[in-house]
Amino acid sequence: MLLKKALHPWWLIINLLLFLLPTIPLAKPPISDSLDYTFQKTDNAAIMSTLEVLEGAQKMVGKYVNDTGETIDLFFGRDTTNITFKGSRLDLRLPMTWYDSGQLKTSVNFRAQIDLPRTNYRWKLFIASFEQTLEESPQTLSGIGESTNVSNTNNIEETNSNSLGALYQLFEMENTKANLDIGLNASSLIEYSPFIRIKLRYRKRLTTELTSRLTQNTFWSTTRGGALDLKQTFDYAYRKDILLRSQTSAIWWNRDKYTQLNQKAILFNKLNAHRVHAYYLRGQWDNSFGSMVFQEVATGINWREKLYKEWLFAELEPRLTWRANDDFKQPIASVMFMLEMRFYHRH
């Protein structure tokens, strides 16, 4: 009986939360170690031989050079990097999510974008293993990512949609960038949906510690119609190792007259050069039933680890989600584990 209770998803997730929570060093900065990545000094021959094979592929694609943009977003590899990163790249993500209902969801997600240097690097070609809407990231990944939706564990749907198209840089200034995406969402050779998206990003430093970022996506496709997404982010550098974030986002779909509002509060804790923890609380409102109603609240911890150099990462995220369909009585527990590989070529 005790063994059955200890193996219950609730107990596993609560123990993970209790294990990670004490690592928030608000009183004083953490003691930094000398490792740039987790496997820097490993003596395991099997691990090193595998990494050396993968590193050969990494060198064939190119060498990574840090952008001057937001360090945290680059470390977590969110879709905002596509609008700031110059160069060809391939992102491969292997997420596995386990729900307390006993369901297990795994997938292989990738996005490749290729620079066209003869266009003065203003055009990129891309292909992705997920449908393009307002967001470029799969919606089933980390709850602190750029995606605003969370999959319903009672009805987990596998999507076979792929996307291909071109991205054009409309203009770029010191704190403002704008891109235009055009392409196709295709579920088969004969079933496809053309789309177009304009993405505008504006950044302003309000004080030494406080930065504002406004992102606007305007989207249209033949199957879903037009939509508008506004995202306002405030980042406050509380300390060198602590970043506080408030993120408000709103999505409006014209054809369905659907509106969704999300509010996130995130604490990023940089423990060292290869490890960042993020503690978050997210609320969601929408007008599914006619008027704007509070529909969902979620909280969790995301552990992001740089396993090897600048291209191999791991992510662990236990999460609890409460929904309005049962009056927020029964939380949905889940644990997500993901491996991510990045391959780049910077010009």
Side-chain angles (χ1 to χ4, degrees):
M1 185 70 179
L2 290 175
L3 178 61
K4 183 178 180 181
K5 184 178 182 181
L7 292 177
H8 193 276
W10 264 100
W11 280 91
L12 293 174
I13 289 175
I14 290 173
N15 287 330
L16 275 171
L17 292 172
L18 292 175
F19 172 75
L20 293 175
L21 277 174
T23 63
I24 308 179
L26 294 179
K28 58 181 180 179
I31 300 175
S32 61
D33 57 43
S34 59
L35 299 180
D36 292 327
Y37 49 90
T38 307
F39 292 148
Q40 186 170 348
K41 296 182 179 179
T42 182
D43 295 325
N44 189 298
I47 292 177
M48 290 308 300
S49 61
T50 302
L51 291 173
E52 286 171 1
V53 171
L54 291 172
E55 188 175 16
Q58 166 74 6
K59 289 180 178 178
M60 290 174 61
V61 178
K63 183 179 180 181
Y64 174 68
V65 178
N66 281 325
D67 284 301
T68 57
E70 293 72 26
T71 304
I72 286 291
D73 287 337
L74 288 174
F75 187 88
F76 275 85
R78 301 306 173 217
D79 66 358
T80 52
T81 59
N82 289 326
I83 199 171
T84 60
F85 184 85
K86 290 184 177 180
S88 300
R89 65 182 291 160
L90 168 65
D91 294 336
L92 178 63
R93 294 172 175 175
L94 308 172
M96 177 177 63
T97 305
W98 177 52
Y99 298 94
D100 60 355
S101 62
Q103 293 174 299
L104 177 67
K105 183 176 181 180
T106 61
S107 60
V108 177
N109 302 309
F110 71 88
R111 178 185 171 94
Q113 62 182 38
I114 304 170
D115 253 347
L116 301 180
R118 293 190 179 183
T119 66
N120 198 24
Y121 303 108
R122 300 189 70 175
W123 279 99
K124 299 176 188 286
L125 302 179
F126 70 83
I127 181 170
S129 62
F130 44 87
E131 181 179 356
Q132 302 291 296
T133 56
L134 289 172
E135 303 292 347
E136 295 174 350
S137 296
Q139 295 179 352
T140 54
L141 295 186
S142 167
I144 65 168
E146 294 301 318
S147 174
T148 55
N149 294 326
V150 177
S151 295
N152 188 332
T153 59
N154 296 321
N155 185 23
I156 301 177
E157 297 181 358
E158 295 291 340
T159 174
N160 297 317
S161 295
N162 296 289
S163 302
L164 65 149
L167 182 151
Y168 178 71
Q169 181 182 288
L170 295 172
F171 61 84
E172 178 181 12
M173 295 182 287
E174 181 179 358
N175 290 308
T176 307
K177 294 175 182 283
N179 285 6
L180 171 68
D181 294 11
I182 53 175
L184 298 173
N185 291 318
S187 55
S188 68
L189 292 177
I190 59 174
E191 297 181 12
Y192 58 88
S193 170
F195 71 86
I196 182 170
R197 174 177 51 207
I198 299 176
K199 177 178 288 188
L200 175 66
R201 177 178 177 271
Y202 176 72
R203 179 178 59 187
K204 181 176 179 60
R205 185 175 293 277
L206 303 176
T207 67
T208 305
E209 297 84 11
L210 184 62
T211 302
S212 168
R213 291 204 315 275
L214 176 64
T215 305
Q216 174 181 316
N217 291 332
T218 305
F219 177 84
W220 178 86
S221 73
T222 55
T223 56
R224 301 195 63 179
L228 178 65
D229 175 22
L230 295 174
K231 186 182 289 93
Q232 174 63 59
T233 302
F234 291 103
D235 284 339
Y236 180 75
Y238 172 75
R239 211 171 54 198
K240 185 170 66 173
D241 58 308
I242 298 292
L243 178 72
L244 304 176
R245 173 172 294 178
S246 171
Q247 181 173 292
T248 306
S249 60
I251 294 179
W252 173 73
W253 287 92
N254 177 54
R255 181 176 297 176
D256 300 329
K257 305 302 180 184
Y258 174 75
T259 303
Q260 183 185 104
L261 177 66
N262 288 266
Q263 178 63 49
K264 296 180 185 178
I266 310 171
L267 186 153
F268 293 99
N269 178 18
K270 183 178 180 181
L271 299 178
N272 47 52
H274 59 87
R275 181 175 301 148
V276 175
H277 289 175
Y279 307 81
Y280 67 91
L281 177 67
R282 180 184 62 80
Q284 178 180 305
W285 295 256
D286 66 38
N287 64 345
S288 301
F289 301 102
S291 58
M292 292 295 291
V293 177
F294 186 56
Q295 295 283 7
E296 185 175 286
V297 61
T299 185
I301 301 173
N302 186 284
W303 180 329
R304 178 83 167 179
E305 188 88 9
K306 184 193 298 182
L307 295 180
Y308 193 68
K309 299 189 177 179
E310 299 292 339
W311 59 271
L312 182 61
F313 293 79
E315 203 165 306
L316 176 68
E317 181 181 308
R319 178 171 58 194
L320 295 174
T321 304
W322 290 263
R323 294 201 171 100
N325 54 15
D326 67 346
D327 295 325
F328 303 98
K329 293 179 180 178
Q330 182 64 38
I332 298 170
S334 64
V335 177
M336 186 274 294
F337 175 75
M338 180 174 70
L339 284 177
E340 179 177 339
M341 288 175 278
R342 306 179 189 173
F343 305 97
Y344 327 88
H345 182 64
R346 278 293 294 266
H347 300 282

